[in-house]
Amino acid sequence: AMYRAKTAGRNTLRFFDPAMQASIEMRALMEGELRRALPQQQFQLLFQPQVDRDHRVVGAEALLRWQHPQRGVILPGQFISLAEETGLIVPIGQWVLETACLQLRAWNAVHGRENLRVAVNVSARQFRQAAFVASVSDVVRDTGISPGNLTLELTESLILENVIDSIEKMQALKALGIRFSMDDFGTGYSSLSY
């Protein structure tokens, strides 16, 4: 109740409710399970094809799923915000980037698929890491992919959080040949309701 009151702002009251306790216990349980998910290889990447106007596959977007041993498939909407809050999104995001680039390398090794691209979502916390550009550069180099075949999907709110830092990182990555796309465009500052 105290934390809820603090979050709501000054001069507010909140009363303890057993549902609050259940919510806190569920969050703590999920955080512990999320911490074990990466070392226990419970994450998987699915790839949604991206097609051009002639319906030819030109690439794919990497989609993260958590294959929980007891609960089955857990969608990102159920764990990404917790991963962001706890900082676990950084190693998870690194795993996603590495795994997607390894898959891209395998696709590009097949005749006729040399120009397929892969798009990877980047979290705000991951993007804000001081070594983010170096980390992406290392993955591109280590996997041997063409940087032009990698697209990093950023949200408009991420880019606008710290404009100068965002521009510097994007320019450095663009200089390597990496592409960008805007994810969730129209839901933040560019929203008509805003």
Side-chain angles (χ1 to χ4, degrees), residues 126-145:
Q126 185 182 7
F127 188 77
R128 294 286 164 242
Q129 296 294 304
F132 179 71
V133 173
S135 174
V136 173
S137 177
D138 290 347
V139 170
V140 168
R141 183 195 64 239
D142 294 347
T143 58
I145 65 163

Side-chain angles (χ1 to χ4, degrees), residues 23-65:
S23 174
I24 290 168
E25 289 173 0
M26 184 59 166
R27 185 188 186 285
L29 175 67
M30 183 164 252
E31 181 179 339
E33 292 174 339
L34 190 57
R35 290 189 184 283
R36 292 186 294 277
L38 192 57
Q40 294 179 2
Q41 300 177 348
Q42 295 175 8
F43 290 114
Q44 61 180 322
L45 278 187
L46 304 178
F47 293 92
Q48 179 176 328
Q50 295 175 325
V51 296
D52 64 12
R53 69 180 124 210
D54 298 321
H55 305 288
R56 290 181 302 225
V57 175
V58 294
E61 179 179 0
L63 304 173
L64 179 64
R65 298 295 182 263

Side-chain angles (χ1 to χ4, degrees), residues 42-50 59-67 73-77 79-80 89 92-93 95-97 99-101 103 107 117-122 150-151 153 181 183-184:
Q42 295 175 8
F43 290 114
Q44 61 180 322
L45 278 187
L46 304 178
F47 293 92
Q48 179 176 328
Q50 295 175 325
E61 179 179 0
L63 304 173
L64 179 64
R65 298 295 182 263
W66 178 6
Q67 184 63 50
V73 176
I74 300 176
L75 299 176
F79 68 89
I80 290 295
I89 196 68
I92 292 170
W95 177 86
V96 169
L97 181 64
T99 303
C101 288
Q103 181 61 60
W107 288 334
R117 298 185 302 265
V118 71
V120 176
N121 287 299
V122 175
L150 175 62
T151 301
E153 292 192 359
S181 70
D183 197 20
D184 296 335

